[in-house]
């Protein structure tokens, strides 16, 4: 499952939607994190709300001044998630909001990269293990 640090974000579009489907992770019950190209250090903050079906629990996970944004959560089955990225190619803060779903979890999260670097791509990875298979589709959209 490749990194997407190639040039995906450009001045052609203001914002982007990234849809990820049928991803399998070698490790279960770990977060999937997002990092933008052009970011260095602990410049991220995020807030996540989750429901864990099989355990009947709900909770909140958050982080400030961390190295990435939590964008999803894995389980033993294929997962899918979508996230929107706002202002990635501008010299402003870059924001991301996502919704993810797996067999055992549903999550809604948001985060920010608090640098003013313009970004051209992104990388996401599980906190441990590796992602295999799946499809990534990137859509650009702009103001009318």
């Amino acid at each position: 499952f490749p990194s997407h640090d190639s040039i995906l974000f450009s001045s052609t579009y203001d914002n982007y939607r990234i849809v990820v489907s049928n991803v399998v992770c070698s490790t279960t019950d770990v977060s999937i994190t997002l990092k933008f190209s052009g970011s260095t250090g602990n410049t991220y903050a995020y807030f996540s709300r989750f429901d864990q079906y099989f355990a009947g629990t709900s909770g909140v996970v958050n982080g400030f001044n961390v190295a990435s944004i939590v964008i999803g959560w894995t389980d033993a089955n294929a997962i899918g998630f979508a996230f929107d990225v706002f202002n990635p190619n501008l010299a402003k803060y870059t924001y991301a909001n996502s919704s993810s779903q797996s067999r055992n979890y549903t999550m809604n999260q948001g985060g920010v990269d608090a640098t003013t670097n313009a970004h051209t791509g992104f990388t996401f990875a599980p906190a441990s293990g590796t992602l295999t298979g799946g499809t990534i589709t990137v859509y650009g959209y702009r103001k009318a």
Side-chain angles (χ1 to χ4, degrees), residues 87-138:
N87 302 323
N89 200 250
L90 298 178
K92 297 181 175 185
Y93 285 11
T94 300
Y95 299 91
N97 291 318
S98 71
S99 175
S100 64
Q101 180 68 48
S102 66
R103 180 175 172 257
N104 299 324
Y105 296 96
T106 185
M107 291 185 74
N108 292 298
Q109 48 275 324
V112 60
D113 178 9
T115 66
T116 55
N117 297 333
H119 306 298
T120 57
F122 63 91
T123 301
F124 60 89
S128 64
T130 57
L131 297 175
T132 59
T135 303
I136 300 171
T137 308
V138 178

Side-chain angles (χ1 to χ4, degrees), residues 42-107:
N42 295 334
T43 60
Y44 296 91
Y46 66 89
F47 179 84
S48 299
R49 168 86 173 103
F50 71 90
D51 293 301
Q52 187 177 15
Y53 300 129
F54 70 88
T57 61
S58 296
V60 171
V61 179
N62 59 45
F64 301 95
N65 298 320
V66 292
S68 59
I69 298 170
V70 170
I71 205 80
W73 204 263
T74 68
D75 67 14
N77 301 284
I79 59 171
F81 57 97
F83 58 98
D84 290 295
V85 178
F86 305 98
N87 302 323
N89 200 250
L90 298 178
K92 297 181 175 185
Y93 285 11
T94 300
Y95 299 91
N97 291 318
S98 71
S99 175
S100 64
Q101 180 68 48
S102 66
R103 180 175 172 257
N104 299 324
Y105 296 96
T106 185
M107 291 185 74

